[in-house]
Each structure stands twice: as structure tokens, then as C-alpha cells.
Amino acid sequence: MSVIQRENIISVIVITYNQEKTIKRTLDSITMQQCHLPVEIVIGEDCSTDNTKGVIQDYIHEAERNSSLKKFSFNLISSTINKGIIDNYFDCLQACNGKYIADCAGDDYWTDEKKLEKAVCMMENDPSITLVHTNWQFVDEKDGAVSDSGRQQFDAPVTNGKEMLEAIICQTDRPIIHLCTALYRADTIMEAYKEDTFLFRNKEFGCEDLQIAFMLAQKGNIAYIPDITLNYSIGHDSVSNQPSNRKQYIFVARTTNLSHYLSKRFCIQSANTEKYFERRLFALCMFAFRAKDRELRNRIHDYQKDWNTVPSFRIKLVRMIMNSNATWETALFIRKIVLLLKKCK
């Protein structure tokens, strides 16, 4: 089997879809980086219906004429069909030539011009580190307000990755590792990709970042830099913030299936994982309830069985309410009144 000879450069993956208003900002945050290694920017443009592709092409054209950006090269991978986030990301990953890989989504942007330099220096000095990540913050696209992202659970400079595996599986709010802040070793993730391509390419797992973070933690040490280097965009629809209860139900079900797959494969079972799967099952109940969707309600039993989850009282209660249209309608009406009263306070 031939071994890919990777260049001593950093490849930055940018996946984008219908982000004509933000993609230039993302690319600016990458080309402002001051790093001793050259940077290759691999852009996965997933058949946008707006002018995202045109904005990118204009940006590349201008950048290639700018002598101050000679350390940056571009590879635009433009799809003629909408592939979705899974295939878009991993097609880009396979196109990367760099020894190190970073990523920045097309609606987010880096805020620290030394982000890549800080991370790559740590990895060059310590071969046991498979990934370096940093602190980050939210930015609201509606008003530009910036807010704190919360406490970092593993804030030591270097942590044995295996100590993080359960937490990565069980994350529901703040990600243990925000991949858009990370720099990781290409050879390490490609080794994991070859070992279990299903883990990375299965579209029913719904996301691309959790399995990457997990496998890099499973295979080495994880370094953390407390500096804020990323503004993570909120206040709009996204993969993890769907515009309807039905779509959010599907996203949560898929990512929980991913966590369950990892839990089974690596024999990670504890009171924490049991609590996690119960919480996710309850979340599905509530999405189905708010959507008043009988099909979604009927799927819950299958997820309960697949995840080997013992239903709690609150799950039993919501499912009981959804057993008849009358109680379902009444409960939705009561919920509506309660929400109105809260707004009036």
C-alpha cells in the first residue's frame, strides 16, 4: 500500500453552502494568519443556490494577484449536486495535502492572527499531541453581540485523550472540542478513516465533527490553548440549529446514533452514558410533542430499544400525553398559554 507523502503545510478545510454574505469574512480570517508554514485552503462549495461560489471565485482571483498572500494557496471543490455536510467535509479532507489540518465553517471566522502558529508549534514540539484546540465565543449575526461560550471542561494544557472519550460521546451543549478552533494531524485521522470508513461517511450520523474529535482523542493527547480564537456564528439556521422541531428531531436522533455507535464500539458504558441517552430520548419526545407529529412519536420506541434506554417518568408522561389527540391538543394549548404569560412578565 502506497503512503501519501504529505507536505509540511497546513490545510484549512472550509465547507460552505448558501453563505454569500459571510464566506469572504471567513476567508479573510484565514488569510490574515501569521504562520511560519504555508497554508492551503480547501473550499468545499456544496452547490449553493445563492452567489457563494461567485464570491469565492472572485476572492481567489484577487488573492492570487496579491503578493502579500503568496504563502496561501486555494483549492475550490465545487459540487454540481448538493452532497450534504458529511460528503462535503470528507471529500475535502481527502483532497488535503497538508501534514496538519484545520477547519473553519463558512459562517464562522477566526479572530486571532496567531491561531495557527500557536497550535502548530505545540504539535511540532510534541508528537504525542494529535489535536490542539482553543477557547471560542458566540457572535449573534442579527446584532453582532458577542457572548461567552461557557466553561471548558478539560482546560489543562495537555490531556490524555482517552480521559475525554466519555465526555465527547455525552456532549449536548458546549462541544468538548470545537473543531473550528482545532488543528489536527492528517495522518492520524486518515488512519482512523481507513480503519472505519463507515464511522465517517455514514450520512445517518448527521455530523462530521464529533467522530473526528473522538478518534483523535482516542489515538493521542489533546492540547488546549485558553485564548479565544473563533467567533462562532449563531442567530440563524444551521446544521445544529434547525428551523423546525421535525428537523431538530432528526438531527438529534442522528447524532445520538453516532454517540451510541462509538459507545458500543469502544465499550464506554456508565451512569453518565445512561443519563445522556435518557436525556436525548426525552429531547426527541419533546420535539415530537411540539411538532404534533405522530410519525416522530412512533419512532421513539425504536430509539429507546436501539439505545437500550430505560424510560424515565418524564418520558413516560410525555408519551402518555401523546397517546390521544385530545390530551395532546390540550397540553399544547396549555404550553402556549404558559409561554404567552412568560412573555408578558
Side-chain angles (χ1 to χ4, degrees), residues 102-154:
D103 77 43
C104 190
D107 56 348
D108 302 329
Y109 58 101
W110 294 338
T111 59
D112 185 342
E113 62 188 14
K114 293 288 188 179
K115 176 205 176 303
L116 292 179
E117 179 71 3
K118 294 173 186 176
V120 77
C121 286
M122 290 187 74
M123 298 191 81
E124 287 178 333
N125 290 329
D126 188 346
S128 74
I129 295 173
T130 54
L131 179 147
V132 179
H133 66 122
T134 77
N135 200 358
W136 53 279
Q137 62 190 3
F138 294 107
V139 60
D140 194 320
E141 289 294 344
K142 295 177 181 177
D143 58 13
V146 173
S147 56
D148 184 71
S149 62
R151 186 184 71 85
Q152 168 55 238
Q153 187 170 344
F154 296 91

Short mmCIF file of all heavy atoms in Angstrom, two decimals, residues 102-154:
data_model
loop_
_atom_site.label_atom_id
_atom_site.label_comp_id
_atom_site.label_asym_id
_atom_site.label_seq_id
_atom_site.Cartn_x
_atom_site.Cartn_y
_atom_site.Cartn_z
N ALA A 102 -6.79 22.09 9.67
CA ALA A 102 -7.68 22.92 10.47
C ALA A 102 -8.97 23.07 9.69
O ALA A 102 -9.05 22.69 8.52
CB ALA A 102 -7.06 24.30 10.73
N ASP A 103 -10.01 23.58 10.33
CA ASP A 103 -11.19 23.92 9.55
C ASP A 103 -11.90 25.12 10.13
O ASP A 103 -11.76 25.45 11.31
CB ASP A 103 -12.11 22.72 9.34
CG ASP A 103 -12.96 22.33 10.53
OD1 ASP A 103 -13.51 23.23 11.19
OD2 ASP A 103 -13.09 21.13 10.80
N CYS A 104 -12.63 25.80 9.26
CA CYS A 104 -13.42 26.97 9.67
C CYS A 104 -14.64 27.03 8.77
O CYS A 104 -14.52 27.17 7.55
CB CYS A 104 -12.59 28.25 9.53
SG CYS A 104 -13.39 29.69 10.28
N ALA A 105 -15.82 26.87 9.36
CA ALA A 105 -17.06 26.85 8.58
C ALA A 105 -17.29 28.20 7.91
O ALA A 105 -16.82 29.25 8.37
CB ALA A 105 -18.23 26.50 9.49
N GLY A 106 -18.06 28.18 6.82
CA GLY A 106 -18.25 29.36 6.00
C GLY A 106 -19.07 30.47 6.62
O GLY A 106 -19.20 31.55 6.01
N ASP A 107 -19.62 30.25 7.81
CA ASP A 107 -20.32 31.33 8.51
C ASP A 107 -19.61 31.74 9.80
O ASP A 107 -20.07 32.64 10.51
CB ASP A 107 -21.77 30.95 8.81
CG ASP A 107 -21.89 29.66 9.62
OD1 ASP A 107 -20.88 28.94 9.74
OD2 ASP A 107 -23.00 29.36 10.09
N ASP A 108 -18.50 31.09 10.12
CA ASP A 108 -17.71 31.43 11.30
C ASP A 108 -16.42 32.14 10.87
O ASP A 108 -16.10 32.20 9.68
CB ASP A 108 -17.36 30.17 12.10
CG ASP A 108 -18.59 29.40 12.55
OD1 ASP A 108 -19.63 30.03 12.78
OD2 ASP A 108 -18.51 28.16 12.64
N TYR A 109 -15.66 32.64 11.85
CA TYR A 109 -14.39 33.27 11.48
C TYR A 109 -13.44 33.30 12.67
O TYR A 109 -13.85 33.40 13.83
CB TYR A 109 -14.60 34.67 10.91
CG TYR A 109 -15.31 35.66 11.81
CD1 TYR A 109 -14.61 36.64 12.53
CD2 TYR A 109 -16.69 35.65 11.94
CE1 TYR A 109 -15.26 37.57 13.33
CE2 TYR A 109 -17.36 36.57 12.74
CZ TYR A 109 -16.64 37.52 13.42
OH TYR A 109 -17.30 38.43 14.23
N TRP A 110 -12.14 33.20 12.35
CA TRP A 110 -11.10 33.26 13.36
C TRP A 110 -10.84 34.72 13.74
O TRP A 110 -10.97 35.63 12.92
CB TRP A 110 -9.83 32.62 12.85
CG TRP A 110 -9.95 31.13 12.62
CD1 TRP A 110 -10.87 30.29 13.19
CD2 TRP A 110 -9.15 30.32 11.76
NE1 TRP A 110 -10.68 29.01 12.75
CE2 TRP A 110 -9.62 28.99 11.87
CE3 TRP A 110 -8.08 30.58 10.91
CZ2 TRP A 110 -9.06 27.93 11.15
CZ3 TRP A 110 -7.51 29.54 10.20
CH2 TRP A 110 -8.00 28.23 10.32
N THR A 111 -10.44 34.92 14.98
CA THR A 111 -10.22 36.27 15.49
C THR A 111 -8.78 36.52 15.93
O THR A 111 -8.44 37.64 16.28
CB THR A 111 -11.15 36.55 16.68
OG1 THR A 111 -10.90 35.58 17.72
CG2 THR A 111 -12.62 36.47 16.28
N ASP A 112 -7.96 35.49 15.90
CA ASP A 112 -6.58 35.59 16.38
C ASP A 112 -5.65 35.27 15.21
O ASP A 112 -5.64 34.14 14.70
CB ASP A 112 -6.37 34.60 17.53
CG ASP A 112 -5.00 34.71 18.17
OD1 ASP A 112 -4.09 35.28 17.54
OD2 ASP A 112 -4.83 34.22 19.30
N GLU A 113 -4.85 36.23 14.78
CA GLU A 113 -3.97 36.04 13.62
C GLU A 113 -2.84 35.05 13.89
O GLU A 113 -2.18 34.58 12.97
CB GLU A 113 -3.39 37.38 13.16
CG GLU A 113 -2.53 38.06 14.19
CD GLU A 113 -2.12 39.47 13.80
OE1 GLU A 113 -2.72 40.01 12.85
OE2 GLU A 113 -1.20 40.01 14.43
N LYS A 114 -2.63 34.70 15.17
CA LYS A 114 -1.60 33.73 15.53
C LYS A 114 -2.19 32.36 15.86
O LYS A 114 -1.49 31.48 16.37
CB LYS A 114 -0.81 34.24 16.74
CG LYS A 114 0.03 35.47 16.48
CD LYS A 114 1.23 35.17 15.61
CE LYS A 114 2.17 36.37 15.52
NZ LYS A 114 3.36 36.05 14.70
N LYS A 115 -3.46 32.15 15.57
CA LYS A 115 -4.13 30.91 15.92
C LYS A 115 -3.39 29.67 15.40
O LYS A 115 -3.08 28.75 16.15
CB LYS A 115 -5.55 30.90 15.36
CG LYS A 115 -6.30 29.58 15.60
CD LYS A 115 -7.39 29.37 14.58
CE LYS A 115 -8.04 28.01 14.77
NZ LYS A 115 -7.11 26.85 14.69
N LEU A 116 -3.10 29.66 14.11
CA LEU A 116 -2.43 28.50 13.52
C LEU A 116 -1.00 28.35 14.03
O LEU A 116 -0.54 27.24 14.29
CB LEU A 116 -2.44 28.61 11.99
CG LEU A 116 -3.80 28.48 11.30
CD1 LEU A 116 -3.63 28.64 9.78
CD2 LEU A 116 -4.48 27.17 11.63
N GLU A 117 -0.31 29.47 14.18
CA GLU A 117 1.08 29.43 14.63
C GLU A 117 1.19 28.84 16.04
O GLU A 117 2.06 28.00 16.31
CB GLU A 117 1.68 30.84 14.59
CG GLU A 117 3.13 30.93 15.07
CD GLU A 117 4.12 30.28 14.10
OE1 GLU A 117 3.69 29.82 13.01
OE2 GLU A 117 5.31 30.25 14.43
N LYS A 118 0.33 29.28 16.94
CA LYS A 118 0.35 28.75 18.31
C LYS A 118 0.12 27.24 18.32
O LYS A 118 0.81 26.49 19.03
CB LYS A 118 -0.72 29.43 19.17
CG LYS A 118 -0.51 30.91 19.41
CD LYS A 118 -1.73 31.49 20.11
CE LYS A 118 -1.64 33.01 20.24
NZ LYS A 118 -2.88 33.59 20.85
N ALA A 119 -0.84 26.80 17.54
CA ALA A 119 -1.21 25.38 17.55
C ALA A 119 -0.14 24.51 16.90
O ALA A 119 0.24 23.46 17.43
CB ALA A 119 -2.55 25.19 16.84
N VAL A 120 0.37 24.95 15.75
CA VAL A 120 1.33 24.11 15.04
C VAL A 120 2.65 24.02 15.80
O VAL A 120 3.33 22.97 15.77
CB VAL A 120 1.54 24.61 13.60
CG1 VAL A 120 2.43 25.83 13.53
CG2 VAL A 120 2.11 23.49 12.73
N CYS A 121 3.02 25.06 16.52
CA CYS A 121 4.25 25.00 17.32
C CYS A 121 4.12 23.95 18.43
O CYS A 121 5.08 23.22 18.71
CB CYS A 121 4.56 26.37 17.91
SG CYS A 121 5.21 27.55 16.70
N MET A 122 2.96 23.86 19.04
CA MET A 122 2.75 22.84 20.06
C MET A 122 2.85 21.45 19.46
O MET A 122 3.47 20.55 20.04
CB MET A 122 1.37 23.02 20.70
CG MET A 122 1.22 24.25 21.57
SD MET A 122 -0.36 24.30 22.47
CE MET A 122 -0.07 23.06 23.73
N MET A 123 2.28 21.25 18.27
CA MET A 123 2.30 19.92 17.67
C MET A 123 3.69 19.54 17.16
O MET A 123 4.10 18.38 17.25
CB MET A 123 1.29 19.87 16.52
CG MET A 123 -0.14 20.12 16.98
SD MET A 123 -1.38 19.76 15.73
CE MET A 123 -1.52 18.00 15.90
N GLU A 124 4.44 20.51 16.67
CA GLU A 124 5.80 20.23 16.21
C GLU A 124 6.71 19.86 17.38
O GLU A 124 7.64 19.05 17.22
CB GLU A 124 6.37 21.44 15.48
CG GLU A 124 5.77 21.65 14.10
CD GLU A 124 6.30 22.88 13.39
OE1 GLU A 124 6.72 23.84 14.09
OE2 GLU A 124 6.33 22.89 12.16
N ASN A 125 6.43 20.41 18.55
CA ASN A 125 7.26 20.16 19.73
C ASN A 125 6.86 18.91 20.50
O ASN A 125 7.62 18.43 21.34
CB ASN A 125 7.21 21.36 20.68
CG ASN A 125 7.92 22.57 20.11
OD1 ASN A 125 8.88 22.44 19.37
ND2 ASN A 125 7.44 23.77 20.46
N ASP A 126 5.67 18.35 20.22
CA ASP A 126 5.19 17.19 20.97
C ASP A 126 4.44 16.24 20.04
O ASP A 126 3.25 16.42 19.77
CB ASP A 126 4.27 17.65 22.11
CG ASP A 126 3.89 16.50 23.05
OD1 ASP A 126 4.10 15.33 22.68
OD2 ASP A 126 3.35 16.78 24.14
N PRO A 127 5.11 15.20 19.55
CA PRO A 127 4.49 14.26 18.61
C PRO A 127 3.31 13.48 19.21
O PRO A 127 2.53 12.89 18.45
CB PRO A 127 5.64 13.30 18.26
CG PRO A 127 6.88 14.04 18.59
CD PRO A 127 6.54 14.90 19.77
N SER A 128 3.17 13.46 20.54
CA SER A 128 2.07 12.72 21.16
C SER A 128 0.74 13.46 21.02
O SER A 128 -0.33 12.87 21.20
CB SER A 128 2.36 12.48 22.64
OG SER A 128 2.20 13.68 23.40
N ILE A 129 0.79 14.75 20.68
CA ILE A 129 -0.42 15.55 20.54
C ILE A 129 -1.03 15.32 19.16
O ILE A 129 -0.38 15.56 18.14
CB ILE A 129 -0.13 17.04 20.75
CG1 ILE A 129 0.34 17.31 22.19
CG2 ILE A 129 -1.36 17.90 20.44
CD1 ILE A 129 0.82 18.74 22.42
N THR A 130 -2.27 14.85 19.13
CA THR A 130 -2.96 14.61 17.86
C THR A 130 -3.85 15.78 17.47
O THR A 130 -4.22 15.91 16.30
CB THR A 130 -3.82 13.34 17.93
OG1 THR A 130 -4.71 13.44 19.06
CG2 THR A 130 -2.95 12.10 18.09
N LEU A 131 -4.21 16.61 18.44
CA LEU A 131 -5.09 17.75 18.16
C LEU A 131 -4.85 18.85 19.18
O LEU A 131 -4.66 18.58 20.37
CB LEU A 131 -6.57 17.30 18.20
CG LEU A 131 -7.66 18.36 17.97
CD1 LEU A 131 -8.86 17.73 17.25
CD2 LEU A 131 -8.12 19.00 19.27
N VAL A 132 -4.86 20.10 18.70
CA VAL A 132 -4.81 21.28 19.56
C VAL A 132 -6.09 22.06 19.31
O VAL A 132 -6.47 22.31 18.16
CB VAL A 132 -3.60 22.18 19.23
CG1 VAL A 132 -3.60 23.41 20.14
CG2 VAL A 132 -2.30 21.40 19.38
N HIS A 133 -6.79 22.46 20.38
CA HIS A 133 -7.98 23.30 20.22
C HIS A 133 -7.91 24.47 21.18
O HIS A 133 -7.04 24.53 22.06
CB HIS A 133 -9.27 22.49 20.42
CG HIS A 133 -9.47 21.97 21.81
ND1 HIS A 133 -10.57 22.26 22.58
CD2 HIS A 133 -8.70 21.16 22.60
CE1 HIS A 133 -10.50 21.65 23.74
NE2 HIS A 133 -9.36 20.98 23.78
N THR A 134 -8.81 25.43 21.00
CA THR A 134 -8.75 26.66 21.77
C THR A 134 -10.12 27.03 22.33
O THR A 134 -11.13 26.40 22.03
CB THR A 134 -8.26 27.84 20.91
OG1 THR A 134 -9.35 28.30 20.07
CG2 THR A 134 -7.08 27.46 20.03
N ASN A 135 -10.12 28.11 23.08
CA ASN A 135 -11.37 28.69 23.55
C ASN A 135 -12.04 29.44 22.39
O ASN A 135 -11.41 29.73 21.37
CB ASN A 135 -11.09 29.64 24.71
CG ASN A 135 -12.33 29.90 25.56
OD1 ASN A 135 -13.41 29.40 25.29
ND2 ASN A 135 -12.17 30.69 26.60
N TRP A 136 -13.33 29.78 22.55
CA TRP A 136 -14.08 30.45 21.49
C TRP A 136 -15.26 31.18 22.10
O TRP A 136 -15.53 31.06 23.30
CB TRP A 136 -14.56 29.44 20.44
CG TRP A 136 -15.33 28.29 21.02
CD1 TRP A 136 -14.82 27.16 21.61
CD2 TRP A 136 -16.76 28.16 21.10
NE1 TRP A 136 -15.83 26.33 22.05
CE2 TRP A 136 -17.04 26.92 21.74
CE3 TRP A 136 -17.83 28.94 20.68
CZ2 TRP A 136 -18.33 26.47 21.97
CZ3 TRP A 136 -19.12 28.50 20.90
CH2 TRP A 136 -19.35 27.26 21.54
N GLN A 137 -15.97 31.95 21.29
CA GLN A 137 -17.13 32.68 21.78
C GLN A 137 -18.22 32.73 20.70
O GLN A 137 -17.98 32.47 19.53
CB GLN A 137 -16.74 34.11 22.18
CG GLN A 137 -16.20 34.96 21.05
CD GLN A 137 -15.59 36.26 21.52
OE1 GLN A 137 -15.51 36.56 22.70
NE2 GLN A 137 -15.14 37.09 20.57
N PHE A 138 -19.44 33.04 21.14
CA PHE A 138 -20.56 33.20 20.22
C PHE A 138 -20.59 34.61 19.65
O PHE A 138 -20.25 35.56 20.35
CB PHE A 138 -21.90 32.94 20.94
CG PHE A 138 -22.10 31.54 21.41
CD1 PHE A 138 -22.03 31.22 22.76
CD2 PHE A 138 -22.40 30.53 20.51
CE1 PHE A 138 -22.25 29.93 23.21
CE2 PHE A 138 -22.60 29.22 20.94
CZ PHE A 138 -22.54 28.92 22.30
N VAL A 139 -21.06 34.74 18.42
CA VAL A 139 -21.39 36.05 17.86
C VAL A 139 -22.76 35.94 17.20
O VAL A 139 -23.01 35.03 16.41
CB VAL A 139 -20.32 36.55 16.86
CG1 VAL A 139 -20.17 35.61 15.68
CG2 VAL A 139 -20.65 37.96 16.39
N ASP A 140 -23.67 36.84 17.57
CA ASP A 140 -25.02 36.83 17.05
C ASP A 140 -25.06 37.59 15.72
O ASP A 140 -24.73 38.78 15.67
CB ASP A 140 -25.99 37.46 18.05
CG ASP A 140 -27.44 37.19 17.71
OD1 ASP A 140 -27.79 37.23 16.52
OD2 ASP A 140 -28.24 36.93 18.64
N GLU A 141 -25.44 36.91 14.65
CA GLU A 141 -25.44 37.53 13.34
C GLU A 141 -26.48 38.65 13.22
O GLU A 141 -26.36 39.52 12.37
CB GLU A 141 -25.72 36.48 12.25
CG GLU A 141 -24.57 35.51 12.02
CD GLU A 141 -23.33 36.18 11.45
OE1 GLU A 141 -23.43 37.31 10.94
OE2 GLU A 141 -22.24 35.58 11.52
N LYS A 142 -27.49 38.63 14.09
CA LYS A 142 -28.54 39.65 13.99
C LYS A 142 -28.08 41.01 14.49
O LYS A 142 -28.42 42.04 13.90
CB LYS A 142 -29.77 39.18 14.78
CG LYS A 142 -30.43 37.94 14.21
CD LYS A 142 -31.59 37.48 15.08
CE LYS A 142 -32.22 36.21 14.52
NZ LYS A 142 -33.31 35.70 15.40
N ASP A 143 -27.34 41.03 15.59
CA ASP A 143 -26.94 42.32 16.16
C ASP A 143 -25.44 42.45 16.44
O ASP A 143 -24.98 43.47 16.95
CB ASP A 143 -27.73 42.60 17.44
CG ASP A 143 -27.54 41.51 18.50
OD1 ASP A 143 -26.61 40.68 18.35
OD2 ASP A 143 -28.32 41.47 19.47
N GLY A 144 -24.67 41.39 16.14
CA GLY A 144 -23.23 41.45 16.35
C GLY A 144 -22.80 41.26 17.79
O GLY A 144 -21.60 41.37 18.11
N ALA A 145 -23.76 40.96 18.68
CA ALA A 145 -23.42 40.79 20.10
C ALA A 145 -22.56 39.55 20.31
O ALA A 145 -22.81 38.49 19.72
CB ALA A 145 -24.70 40.69 20.93
N VAL A 146 -21.55 39.70 21.15
CA VAL A 146 -20.64 38.60 21.47
C VAL A 146 -20.95 38.08 22.87
O VAL A 146 -21.21 38.87 23.78
CB VAL A 146 -19.17 39.07 21.38
CG1 VAL A 146 -18.22 38.00 21.88
CG2 VAL A 146 -18.82 39.47 19.95
N SER A 147 -20.95 36.76 23.04
CA SER A 147 -21.24 36.18 24.35
C SER A 147 -20.31 35.01 24.63
O SER A 147 -19.78 34.38 23.71
CB SER A 147 -22.70 35.73 24.44
OG SER A 147 -23.01 34.82 23.41
N ASP A 148 -20.12 34.74 25.90
CA ASP A 148 -19.22 33.69 26.36
C ASP A 148 -19.78 32.31 26.01
O ASP A 148 -20.99 32.10 26.05
CB ASP A 148 -19.02 33.80 27.87
CG ASP A 148 -18.02 32.78 28.38
OD1 ASP A 148 -16.83 32.91 28.10
OD2 ASP A 148 -18.46 31.84 29.09
N SER A 149 -18.90 31.39 25.69
CA SER A 149 -19.33 30.04 25.30
C SER A 149 -19.43 29.08 26.47
O SER A 149 -19.85 27.93 26.30
CB SER A 149 -18.37 29.46 24.25
OG SER A 149 -17.06 29.34 24.81
N GLY A 150 -19.06 29.53 27.67
CA GLY A 150 -19.16 28.64 28.83
C GLY A 150 -17.81 28.06 29.23
O GLY A 150 -16.78 28.31 28.61
N ARG A 151 -17.85 27.23 30.25
CA ARG A 151 -16.61 26.67 30.82
C ARG A 151 -16.08 25.53 29.98
O ARG A 151 -16.81 24.67 29.52
CB ARG A 151 -16.88 26.17 32.24
CG ARG A 151 -15.63 25.70 32.99
CD ARG A 151 -15.98 25.11 34.35
NE ARG A 151 -16.64 23.83 34.24
CZ ARG A 151 -16.02 22.66 34.12
NH1 ARG A 151 -14.68 22.63 34.04
NH2 ARG A 151 -16.69 21.54 34.04
N GLN A 152 -14.78 25.54 29.77
CA GLN A 152 -14.11 24.44 29.09
C GLN A 152 -13.90 23.31 30.10
O GLN A 152 -13.29 23.50 31.15
CB GLN A 152 -12.77 24.90 28.54
CG GLN A 152 -11.84 23.79 28.06
CD GLN A 152 -12.47 22.88 27.03
OE1 GLN A 152 -12.56 21.67 27.24
NE2 GLN A 152 -12.89 23.45 25.92
N GLN A 153 -14.41 22.13 29.79
CA GLN A 153 -14.36 21.01 30.73
C GLN A 153 -12.95 20.48 30.95
O GLN A 153 -12.57 20.13 32.06
CB GLN A 153 -15.27 19.87 30.24
CG GLN A 153 -15.42 18.73 31.24
CD GLN A 153 -16.49 17.76 30.81
OE1 GLN A 153 -17.33 18.04 29.97
NE2 GLN A 153 -16.48 16.57 31.41
N PHE A 154 -12.14 20.44 29.89
CA PHE A 154 -10.77 19.95 30.01
C PHE A 154 -9.84 21.11 29.65
O PHE A 154 -9.53 21.33 28.48
CB PHE A 154 -10.54 18.76 29.07
CG PHE A 154 -11.37 17.55 29.40
CD1 PHE A 154 -12.63 17.38 28.83
CD2 PHE A 154 -10.91 16.60 30.29
CE1 PHE A 154 -13.40 16.28 29.13
CE2 PHE A 154 -11.67 15.48 30.60
CZ PHE A 154 -12.92 15.33 30.03
#
